[in-house]
Amino acid sequence: MRSRDAGGLVYSTEAGRTCPNCRQALAACRCAAAARQAILGDGRVRVSREKAGRGGKTVTVVRGLPLAADDLATLGKRLRSACGTGGTVRDGTLELQGDHAERVTAWLQAEGFEAKRSGG
Ligand SMILES: [Zn+2]
């Protein structure tokens, strides 16, 4: 049985494919679950009003929420419904269509986040 080649990749004759990150068999790997639970933001929650794309529409962007991806998605859904608008969650950032910066800031503060307006 060959355990390690020059490139550092692990092959195992009995375990099949392994995760390149933790070197566990894929069935035992918890990297994806851990990534979903990792806290994305630094807790300094900033709410800003920005233009999406070139000559784009106004969007309200929330950064720094100290939440894991699943919780961020859930919060985003509640926030969109509170504002009656659509939006997305991307790279730990919430984005809502339209200018809802004041409302979003107040809503987040009511939820216990130290949200602040930033930028325009
Ligand atoms: Zn892994």
Side-chain angles (χ1 to χ4, degrees), residues 19 21-23 29-31:
C19 170
N21 186 39
C22 66
R23 306 280 169 100
C29 166
R30 294 285 169 268
C31 293

Side-chain angles (χ1 to χ4, degrees), residues 2 5 10 12 27 31 39 50 54 57 68 71 73-74 80-82 84 98 103 109 116 119:
R2 182 164 60 130
D5 71 8
V10 174
S12 165
C31 293
I39 301 299
E50 298 174 14
R54 238 180 320 164
K57 296 162 290 194
D71 293 333
T74 303
R80 288 196 293 278
S81 120
R103 186 171 190 168
Q109 286 168 348
K116 290 197 170 70

Side-chain angles (χ1 to χ4, degrees), residues 8-40:
L9 289 170
V10 174
Y11 297 92
S12 165
T13 48
E14 69 270 23
R17 295 173 61 202
T18 56
C19 170
N21 186 39
C22 66
R23 306 280 169 100
Q24 302 264 18
L26 286 182
C29 166
R30 294 285 169 268
C31 293
R36 276 201 304 278
Q37 281 158 20
I39 301 299
L40 300 165

Side-chain angles (χ1 to χ4, degrees), residues 58-93:
T58 300
V59 294
T60 303
V61 179
V62 186
R63 294 187 175 81
L65 284 163
L67 296 173
D70 287 354
D71 293 333
L72 193 64
T74 303
L75 189 84
K77 195 179 291 182
R78 293 176 57 214
L79 195 49
R80 288 196 293 278
S81 120
C83 293
T85 188
T88 54
V89 182
R90 191 162 35 212
D91 301 332
T93 298

